[in-house]
Amino acid sequence: MSVKVCMGNEAIALGALAAGVSVAAGYPGTPSTEIIETLVGIHKPGVSVQWSTNEKAALEVAAGAAYAGARSLCTMKQVGLNVASDPLMSLSYIGVKGGMVIAVADDPGPWSSQTEQDTRGFAKHANLPVFDPSSPEEAYMMVLSAYEFSEKYSLPAFLRPTTRVCHASADVDFDIDAEIKKSDGFEKRPEWCIFPALSYRRHGELEEKQGEMARDFDKMPYNRIEGRGRKGVAVSGVSYLYAKEAIAELGADVLLYKVGTPYPMPERLTKKFISSVDSVLVVEELDPVVEEQLLIEAAGRVPVLGKRSGDMPKNGEYSFEIVKKALIKYLGLPQEKEEREELPQLPVRPPVLCAGCPHRASFYAAKVATKDLKKAIYCGDIGCYTLGNAAPLNMVDTCLCMGAGITIAQGLALADAGAKCLAFIGDSTFFHTGIPGVINAVYQGTDITVIVLDNRTTAMTGQQPHPGTGKRALGDDAPALDIETILRACGVKRVSRVNPFDFESAVGAIREAVGFAGVSAVIAEAPCVAQLKKPEAICFVNDKCIKCGRCIKEIGCPAITPDEAGRAVVNAPLCTGCGLCACVCPVSAIERGERNGK
C-alpha cells in the first residue's frame, strides 16, 4: 500500500486500478475529466484506456468488455448520461458478467454544465445501485466495493461523486499493483440479445434484486447511524462532512444517518433510523432522492423535512455555512450573529474567448459575411465557442446540448422560411454527436450552413484528443479522420476549408457557403491558442490610432483595452499576435512586430 495526497477523481482512477480494471472509456466533461486523465498518466500495462467519441460509445465499449468478464470503467459528467441513457436502460436488463462501474460526476451549482440533474434519479430509473462518496478516501473504497457488488448482482453499479468530492484532495491509501482481472472470454448465450420475452422476465428479476441489494447495503460501512438524540439528520454525499462538522461545532445531540448508497436505500438501517427519531432533516445536494424514500418509510408517522418542506435549498451546491444555518433552525438554536467581516465582492469577470482564439476570428468573419442578410440565426453548441454569445460578437442565438446546433438550425429553417440559419460546431463535438445532424440535414434537403470550428483538440476540458487529431488517449498514433471527407460522404455538396485568421478569405468562403441553396459547410481550421508556444509576434498600436474604439467594440479581445485618453492599448503578455484586430482597424493603426521590440 502507498499513501498519496490526491484529488477525488484521481482516487477513483486508483480505485479502479486496485480493483483490477482492464478497460476504461469516457468522454471528457467537468467535473469528471481527471479520472481518465489519471489512468492515461499512469498507463498501467494491460489496461486499455480511451477517450471515446461520446458517452454512449464509452458506455457500450465498457459494457462489451464486461460481457467478456473483464472489469470495466465508464466515465462522464451528468449531462453525458443523457447521451448514454439509451444503452444504459437496456443494459440494466441484459446485465454484465465482469464488474462494471459507471462513474458519473454531478455538478451542483452548476459550475460548468447546462443542468443540475441528479444521477441518483437515473440510477432509480434504471434500477441500478448507486454509491455516493462523501470524500476522496471514500470514493477510492467505494470503487472497490462497487466492482464486487456489480459482479455479485451481474449489474453495472453507479459511482456518483459531486464536484467537491471530484476536486477536493486528501490522503488516500492505495494499491495499484493489484493484478488485472483477466477476461475469461465472451460466452455465447441467448441472454445477451434483448428480446421482448427476455425483457419481461428480466424486469421482474430486476425488481426482486432491489430488495436484495437494499438488505445487502445494510452491511456496508458507508451506511451507518452515528450520535444520539431524538432529532434525526439524514445525509448523502459530501453533505455528510458538512453536517458532521456543523453538529460538532454546535455541540448538539443529533442522530446522524449517513447514507452512502442512496439507491436502493439500506432496508434495516432506514427502518431503525425512522423508528428512533421524532423528526428528520434531510441534507442532500440536487434532487430529494433520500428525502422521498424516507417520506415513504415514515408514512406520516415522523415529519421528514428537507427540500420539499422548504427547509433546505432546492438547487445549487451546499456548503458548511448553508448546512449549519439549516441545522440551527431545525434544532431551534438561537441564530448566530454575523461577526465575520464582510469580504469585498469579487469584480465581475464575464467568461470570454481567450486572446488569440481562432473562434473569435471565425465568429467575426461570419458576422461580417452575413451582415447584409435580411435575417440570420446563429445556432451554437457546447464548447469554448458557446462564449461566442457574449457581446460584442453576439453570434450564438441558441445552445441546447452537444451536437444539437445543427439540428436546431434545421428546425428553425423549417419554421422561419425568411431566415438563413448557420450552425457552429467544434471538431470534437462534430465527432461526438454532430454527424447524425449533418446526415439528417442532407437527407431532408434543408438549407443551412454548418461552420465547423476545428481547433484540433477538445479544448474546454483540457486538450484531450479526438478522432480528428491523429492521436489516442495514451498518446499513440491513430488514423486522423478528415472532417471534409466525412462531410462529403454525408452528402454535403459544398465544403470549403479556411484559416479564420486569413480574414478576407474566411469572409468570402462563408459568404459563398451562405449563398448556396442546400447544406453547405465551412471548416475553419486553426489550432487552439492554448496549444501554441508563446508566439514571437505581437501586435502594437501606432500613432495613427484615432480612438474610434472599433478594435475593442467589434471583436472583444481581452488583450486590447482603452487607455485614459481612449487610445487602444495592447496587453503584451496576453497578445498572441493573431492580427485579427489589425483587420478591424480602419486606419491601419495596429501592426505586427516582434514581441521584444519592433
Side-chain angles (χ1 to χ4, degrees):
M1 296 290 284
S2 302
V3 181
K4 177 185 177 185
V5 177
C6 58
M7 278 201 315
N9 281 343
E10 293 178 83
I12 293 167
L14 295 173
L17 291 175
V21 71
S22 62
V23 175
Y27 187 81
T30 304
S32 70
T33 307
E34 295 86 359
I35 303 173
I36 291 291
E37 290 194 333
T38 299
L39 294 172
V40 168
I42 295 174
H43 191 192
K44 184 174 179 177
V47 178
S48 175
V49 185
Q50 68 170 250
W51 287 120
S52 303
T53 51
N54 63 27
E55 298 81 359
K56 176 179 182 291
L59 189 136
E60 290 162 352
V61 167
Y67 283 3
R71 284 190 168 181
S72 65
L73 175 69
C74 177
T75 76
M76 62 193 75
K77 65 182 298 182
Q78 88 283 11
V79 286
L81 191 53
N82 302 336
V83 181
S85 62
D86 191 16
L88 172 74
M89 300 307 292
S90 296
L91 184 62
S92 68
Y93 280 58
I94 289 290
V96 293
K97 180 180 173 187
M100 178 177 171
V101 172
I102 306 171
V104 184
D106 282 358
D107 184 16
W111 291 96
S112 59
S113 305
Q114 307 97 298
T115 70
E116 275 202 311
Q117 66 192 64
D118 193 321
T119 294
R120 297 174 303 168
F122 255 112
K124 184 175 185 298
H125 189 39
N127 285 311
L128 293 176
V130 58
F131 291 74
D132 192 5
S134 61
S135 65
E137 308 98 298
E138 194 171 56
Y140 175 86
M141 295 305 299
M142 279 188 172
V143 173
L144 298 171
S145 299
Y147 276 111
E148 294 173 3
F149 208 77
S150 170
E151 289 178 351
K152 180 175 181 179
Y153 290 94
S154 300
L155 290 173
F158 275 109
L159 182 81
R160 178 254 188 186
T162 53
T163 305
R164 291 294 150 182
V165 175
C166 291
H167 292 163
S169 294
D171 283 342
V172 175
D173 292 328
F174 69 96
D175 175 19
I176 61 170
D177 295 326
E179 194 172 326
I180 294 173
K181 189 175 184 302
K182 297 290 185 185
S183 158
D184 51 4
F186 178 70
E187 180 186 353
K188 292 184 180 182
R189 55 177 200 246
E191 288 81 4
W192 293 123
C193 296
I194 195 162
F195 286 108
L198 175 68
S199 301
Y200 175 78
R201 175 163 61 86
R202 283 288 168 83
H203 186 197
E205 293 171 0
L206 261 177
E207 294 298 334
E208 287 294 321
K209 284 183 179 179
Q210 305 307 300
E212 296 174 28
M213 291 191 289
R215 290 186 284 280
D216 223 356
F217 277 148
D218 276 323
K219 307 166 193 167
M220 288 202 167
Y222 316 118
N223 304 308
R224 56 183 180 267
I225 297 173
E226 304 172 359
R228 61 182 181 181
R230 298 296 298 179
K231 288 275 191 179
V233 175
V235 290
S236 179
V238 72
S239 297
Y240 167 68
L241 299 183
Y242 301 147
K244 189 171 182 178
E245 188 176 341
I247 291 167
E249 189 171 308
L250 296 170
D253 284 338
V254 168
L255 202 63
L256 185 65
Y257 182 20
K258 179 186 182 303
V259 183
T261 57
Y263 187 81
M265 287 272 284
E267 188 176 280
R268 181 184 59 79
L269 275 178
T270 300
K271 291 180 184 299
K272 180 181 176 183
F273 175 69
I274 287 295
S275 64
S276 304
V277 295
D278 297 328
S279 62
V280 179
L281 175 69
V282 185
V283 184
E284 58 184 329
E285 290 176 323
L286 299 178
D287 293 345
V289 175
V290 170
E291 183 179 334
E292 289 179 353
Q293 293 180 85
L294 288 177
L295 279 166
I296 293 171
E297 181 61 35
R301 292 173 286 122
V302 175
V304 177
L305 311 176
K307 294 175 184 288
R308 287 179 168 274
S309 63
D311 289 273
M312 294 301 301
K314 291 183 171 60
N315 59 338
E317 186 177 32
Y318 285 2
S319 65
F320 168 77
E321 289 76 17
I322 290 173
V323 174
K324 182 181 175 184
K325 189 175 179 181
L327 279 170
I328 288 173
K329 180 185 173 189
Y330 170 61
L331 298 172
L333 300 174
Q335 294 289 329
E336 293 181 329
K337 292 182 181 177
E338 289 287 345
E339 296 181 352
R340 288 188 305 175
E341 191 175 331
E342 284 290 329
L343 296 173
Q345 293 292 312
L346 293 172
V348 177
R349 295 191 182 97
V352 295
L353 295 167
C354 299
C357 175
H359 299 339
R360 177 179 289 101
S362 299
F363 280 129
Y364 189 63
K367 190 171 189 174
V368 172
T370 57
K371 66 180 180 181
D372 295 328
L373 293 179
K374 185 177 179 183
K375 184 177 183 180
I377 303 175
Y378 309 105
C379 300
D381 221 299
I382 305 295
C384 296
Y385 44 93
T386 308
L387 301 176
N389 75 324
L393 292 171
N394 300 313
M395 288 297 286
V396 175
D397 295 322
T398 72
C399 181
L400 181 66
C401 63
M402 294 281 281
I406 296 172
T407 34
I408 289 285
Q410 293 169 51
L412 286 167
L414 291 172
D416 194 338
K420 179 68 187 186
C421 296
L422 289 80
F424 296 94
I425 188 167
D427 44 341
S428 185
T429 311
F430 176 80
F431 290 109
H432 179 276
T433 38
I435 295 170
V438 174
I439 294 171
N440 192 66
V442 172
Y443 178 55
Q444 303 298 340
T446 316
D447 181 15
I448 63 169
T449 295
V450 178
I451 300 179
V452 183
L453 304 173
D454 183 2
N455 63 3
R456 324 271 169 80
T457 188
T458 313
M460 183 170 260
T461 49
Q463 314 294 320
Q464 292 80 17
H466 61 64
T469 61
K471 294 288 181 183
R472 299 190 183 97
L474 295 172
D476 53 326
D477 293 333
L481 275 65
D482 181 59
I483 292 174
E484 179 177 351
T485 303
I486 293 172
L487 285 167
R488 292 191 184 281
C490 291
V492 181
K493 300 299 183 188
R494 183 176 187 85
V495 184
S496 56
R497 311 171 86 122
V498 296
N499 178 346
F501 291 121
D502 184 356
F503 188 65
E504 294 302 325
S505 296
V507 171
I510 295 172
R511 190 172 283 145
E512 289 177 5
V514 167
F516 182 79
V519 182
S520 59
V522 177
I523 307 170
E525 299 174 306
C528 172
V529 69
Q531 290 187 319
L532 302 176
K533 294 180 180 177
K534 200 72 171 178
E536 296 179 357
I538 189 174
C539 290
F540 295 91
V541 181
N542 62 34
D543 295 337
K544 296 178 184 176
C545 179
I546 57 174
K547 306 176 187 176
C548 67
R550 186 172 175 183
C551 56
I552 299 169
K553 297 173 186 171
E554 291 281 304
I555 60 175
C557 177
I560 310 178
T561 53
D563 64 12
E564 292 181 354
R567 279 175 48 87
V569 176
V570 174
N571 184 329
L574 290 179
C575 181
T576 64
C578 73
L580 180 63
C581 50
C583 299
V584 174
C585 181
V587 295
S588 301
I590 302 177
E591 55 186 316
R592 299 178 77 193
E594 295 179 5
R595 178 170 290 278
N596 297 319
K598 289 184 178 180

